[in-house]
Amino acid sequence: MQDKIDELRSRRDQALKGGGEERILEQIQKGKLFARERIHRLLDKDTFTELYMFAEHQCHDFGMDRKHIPGDGVVTGHGLIGGRRVFVYAHDATVFGGSVGAVSGKKIVDTIALSRDVGAPLIGLIDSAGARIQEGMDNVRGYARIFYEHVQSAGVVPQLSAIMGNCSGGASYSPALTDFVFQVDQTSRMFLTGPEVIRQVTGEVISFEDLGGARIHTRRSGVSHFFCKNDTQCLEQIRTLLTFLPQNNREHPPGLDTGDDPKRPVPAIEKIIPTDMKKSYDVRDVIRKLADRGDFLEVHELFARNMVIGFARLAGRPVGIVANQPKVLAGAIDIDASDKAARFIRFCDAFNFPLVTLVDNPGYLPGTAQEYGGIIRHGAKMLYAYSESTVPKISLVLRKAYGGGISAMCPKEMGTDQMFVLPTAEIAVVGAEPAVDILFRREIASAEDPESFRKTKIAEYRNAFCTPYHSASRQLVDAVIEPAEARAAIVGALLMLESKSTAARPWKKHGTIPL
């Protein structure tokens, strides 16, 4: 028996070394952690259980029959984060560059499927050269099935991807199919076609970093949600995000006793929000005043900054926040902001996060670039996402809501359960000034004092149609509240809606969101 145990230990030691100490050192010199070290730093201490440790490729071509390393370039298993079960896979770049073949692909596929069956989050730590070309079409079985399993798990368990090295070609579709993508600065890259292919086909010369680095994908493309300075910060951010997320779609997000008084007044909001509609402010200052202990985890912070999304707690309950950002583009909604918000709204609905919408919105961003880019189609995604969602929805109009932006930010008619308005807010299909310029165009032109006449009509229109009391008189809002009462009002609505039932809706296989 002892000789068999010794053999097992020897094989296990070999597997734990991956591609060997020399290649592990190369990882360290690049500022990267070794695959297993990433897993152990991510998980609670001594909780990792590895699965499929001794799996090896079955390829015999191109000299692969002489290269057999246990694990086949990916480490898979499960463990605990904050005492809760998660499943994880980490590409080992020291073994065949972390490339994916039939066997390593099946390890990932089985891990995704197991996480779904158990009902626990999936985390992928990606550092891979992509498909293993020595295996020919066999590697397609690996990647295609990975994509398929991600889709089956979508909306069932939270799926997180961390780009911590290479992620190129078809491999980049794997993180794109998951819920949240983290990316490490300088040491990671993600793209479908690399710089050399681009140069050959289009003549364009571009570096790896400028093509697929973390700064590009968190700021410009929006592919990645979280920008990370290094591997360590990336793993810490994953752990932080998971404190807000439920294990699966049948659970509610985990509550936490924050010790913050649910009825705490927030008089500072009155000072944060200018009454002058043309002045800007940072809506995140409002969010932090509303949130328990000022704790707000922003998602997609660097992308489409005219829309702010993220997670906070109110009375200890996690909620999803969607807010216009007056500091950028005056809070107008454009193509990227629509996509950003719609995707987040659908995630929150899938995983039982109540939605809190903070409105300060002049409407959709005008211009030919937006129209030609399909703002109608993209903007409709927000309308679809809000209308489709069944979780509790609470809206607060901070200052203004105009035009098509009213519907985009979930008014009563789009399914909001409780809608509050501050007394200084303006809600109108169109602002007073453009309305008067249209309605009284001839009268203004023929008036003895056109400017004075125009100002009088603007004041009349604003008082008649733009005040919150006009909407309140028609039950388009539930209450007009003081700024200091905002937190208590939202928390009160949230607690009241905890037992909200879902109204019966027409049977459908799935909706047809305007993608």
Side-chain angles (χ1 to χ4, degrees), residues 345 348-355 389-393 415 417 500 502:
I345 293 164
C348 289
D349 186 52
F351 291 101
N352 308 309
F353 284 89
L355 284 161
S389 61
T390 60
V391 294
K393 287 172 283 189
D417 299 291
K500 174 188 174 182
T502 303

Side-chain angles (χ1 to χ4, degrees), residues 261-266 290 420 484-494:
D261 182 3
K263 297 182 179 180
R264 170 172 55 83
V266 285
L290 296 174
F420 304 112
E485 301 170 337
R487 173 177 159 85
I490 294 173
V491 169
L494 181 66

Side-chain angles (χ1 to χ4, degrees), residues 26-63:
E26 291 177 2
Q27 284 276 100
I28 296 172
Q29 291 173 341
K30 293 177 181 177
K32 298 158 64 175
L33 299 174
F34 178 47
R36 282 189 169 80
E37 186 177 4
R38 287 169 174 164
I39 290 176
H40 289 297
R41 290 199 186 188
L42 173 67
L43 302 179
D44 295 349
K45 187 177 181 181
D46 298 328
T47 64
F48 180 56
T49 298
E50 186 167 350
L51 303 176
Y52 323 119
M53 175 183 279
F54 300 122
E56 296 183 9
H57 72 79
Q58 305 300 309
C59 179
H60 302 286
D61 301 308
F62 304 102

Side-chain angles (χ1 to χ4, degrees), residues 64-107:
M64 289 293 287
D65 56 327
R66 299 188 299 274
K67 302 175 182 178
H68 286 274
I69 301 176
D72 201 35
V74 64
V75 184
T76 56
H78 59 87
L80 304 178
I81 293 182
R84 299 193 297 159
R85 182 72 53 197
V86 298
F87 286 79
V88 62
Y89 69 89
H91 294 288
D92 184 355
T94 71
V95 179
F96 307 128
S99 60
V100 175
V103 170
S104 55
K106 189 174 186 307
K107 288 180 64 175

Side-chain angles (χ1 to χ4, degrees), residues 183-186 188-191 206-225 227 300 302-304:
Q183 189 168 1
V184 179
D185 190 28
Q186 300 301 318
S188 71
R189 57 190 64 160
M190 179 168 42
F191 44 71
I206 190 168
S207 69
F208 283 103
E209 188 65 25
D210 290 339
L211 178 63
R215 295 174 189 273
I216 291 297
H217 286 311
T218 54
R219 289 169 168 80
R220 189 164 182 176
S221 73
V223 170
S224 299
H225 299 79
F227 176 88
H300 253 155
L302 304 175
F303 175 68

